[in-house]
Amino acid sequence: MIFQNKNIISLIIICSSSTALANQTNTTTQKDKLLVTASKIKSNSKQIDANDISTVRGTTNSDIFANETSLQVNNARNEAGALDIGIRGLQGNGRVPIIIDGSLQSTNTWRGYQGSTDRTYVDMDLIDTIEIEKGASMSKFSGGAIGGTVKLKTLSANSIIPQGDQFGFLFKGNIYNNNRRPTIASDEKGESGYRVSNGVKNSHFNNGSITTGVAYRNDKFDILLAHSDRKQGNFFAGKNGYHKYANTDAPIKPGQEVVNTSYESQSTLLKTNIYLNPYSSIELNYRHHEQKAGEVLAAYWYQFDGKMPQWSLGSADIDTASLNYSYKPDSLWVDMNLGLWWTKGKFKQRNGTTDDVTAHYGNQYQHRYTDERMGFNLENTSEFADYPIDITYGVEYMQQKSKPLTKTYQPIWTPEGTIPGEELDPVTRNAKGTNKSVFTNMAYQGEWVSTLVGWRIHAFDVDDHVLGKSISYGPKNDLMGELRFHVTDEFDIYTKYSDSYREPSLFESTVSGQTYSYSPDVPLKPEHAKSFEVGMNVEKENL
């Protein structure tokens, strides 16, 4: 679907004090030295920093990814404000995990006739850097990631405090008029007859966002508190290119309002780094995200007499906490990182079946559920003194729990009305899944040639509380190798091969009362992906 892009106004202000750190001086001598190191960027890895994010931020959370090659943003306008990323045509069920500050927050959501999606909830105005790795990888969180990984790093104190200062303040805001906030009826029957608007009112700048932050640092610790508040209404369909679909009886006409695409959220981030000594530090993160958003239901995608169904907004509340401990002593053999993380989402959305048997229209699909994940990973890198070789190795453990918060009943029609009958299988998976893996990589960085080889062994265990049964997948071995020739400082030729597996996700391997459900009579097998790449990489400024 094509959307109009009307006027958008943005404002970014960063303020700081000029109090120097206690261990810094205000003068610079010729003896002071600045050491800058750099390494070759992998051809299948892309780094997006804060300046890039601010430049192409757009209005929707997923707009930042719009210009990335080989990457697809699924349902950018009607995914309830969430991220659902595909790489090279692979997406969903852990094929492209999105990692935020060393924690995995992904919820598989059933969409009825529209299939299912992997949703990650975050406000991109709280993101500092993005790393996109295409294809299989042997790093953390890469087990089953046969499409690639997307790693997000939120703002830190250093993001808003200029070098040499102790305090920093952030204010960022934008307003825009390219959408319309819907007026939603108070009952579900009234919601089904919403009058669609036929054009944008350019004078109505009543949508936008505000992000504020404050940070402090010294030589012992730093701390950041940031908050983002965002509101945007329904989008409007574009007009250009509509003639290509003239033979299609589309419910939405050129320039009309697209119902159930509005979104509003509040996100809070608290982050601190504690510098224990010159060799070690601890980073603590807590993020709370709550939102309300519309969702397009395929069964109600029609227009009659200028009216379409516009439902009340569904909700999602996400809590995420993580701890990352880094230890790098004066030794080539130890560069260690320990990560502990937890995330939990509570959802009330129209993508299941309600426990109210008297509900009709869109409310019959409204239900509540939780998705909780936790895990830890331990990783270390060792280098050789006499050779440009380093070895990275580690272990990883992740657990996911999915649980319904509403029950489903067989409706029984009586002269007095509809009453609940026997309890049916829940529409949300009621299950627990556990991932375990061990991995190692060895890299050689030569002047003209670089190589990388990696291996991972991983397994997945499922406990289905509906069936009362357990399933084990694996262990499976993943292999990867890359050979890179540095023709010049700016031009590389490379080849890469990977042989990897993805075990069925918790959603795919457990039973529920939804349209699609796993059948124990037809057991699933892990996906087996083999990939071979040959390519060129050019890094050149001002091109």
Side-chain angles (χ1 to χ4, degrees), residues 358-378:
T358 65
H360 299 84
Y361 307 101
N363 281 3
Q364 61 184 312
Y365 304 111
Q366 195 172 62
H367 77 134
R368 297 182 296 115
Y369 64 100
T370 65
D371 194 300
E372 183 178 15
R373 301 188 187 219
M374 63 187 70
F376 77 87
N377 47 71
L378 179 64

Side-chain angles (χ1 to χ4, degrees), residues 371-427:
D371 194 300
E372 183 178 15
R373 301 188 187 219
M374 63 187 70
F376 77 87
N377 47 71
L378 179 64
E379 183 182 59
N380 184 63
T381 299
S382 300
E383 300 180 20
F384 290 86
D386 300 327
Y387 303 96
I389 298 175
D390 60 70
I391 302 176
T392 301
Y393 44 93
V395 297
E396 193 170 22
Y397 174 90
M398 291 186 289
Q399 186 181 95
Q400 178 187 5
K401 295 179 181 179
S402 179
K403 183 179 180 180
L405 297 179
T406 55
K407 297 182 178 181
T408 306
Y409 301 96
Q410 178 70 44
I412 298 177
W413 287 269
T414 68
E416 291 77 22
T418 305
I419 61 174
E422 64 174 331
E423 184 178 342
L424 305 176
D425 288 342
V427 294

Side-chain angles (χ1 to χ4, degrees), residues 104-108 118 341-345 371-375 398-401:
L104 179 64
Q105 188 270 299
S106 177
T107 301
N108 194 292
D118 257 353
W341 57 273
W342 166 85
T343 179
K344 184 174 184 178
D371 194 300
E372 183 178 15
R373 301 188 187 219
M374 63 187 70
M398 291 186 289
Q399 186 181 95
Q400 178 187 5
K401 295 179 181 179

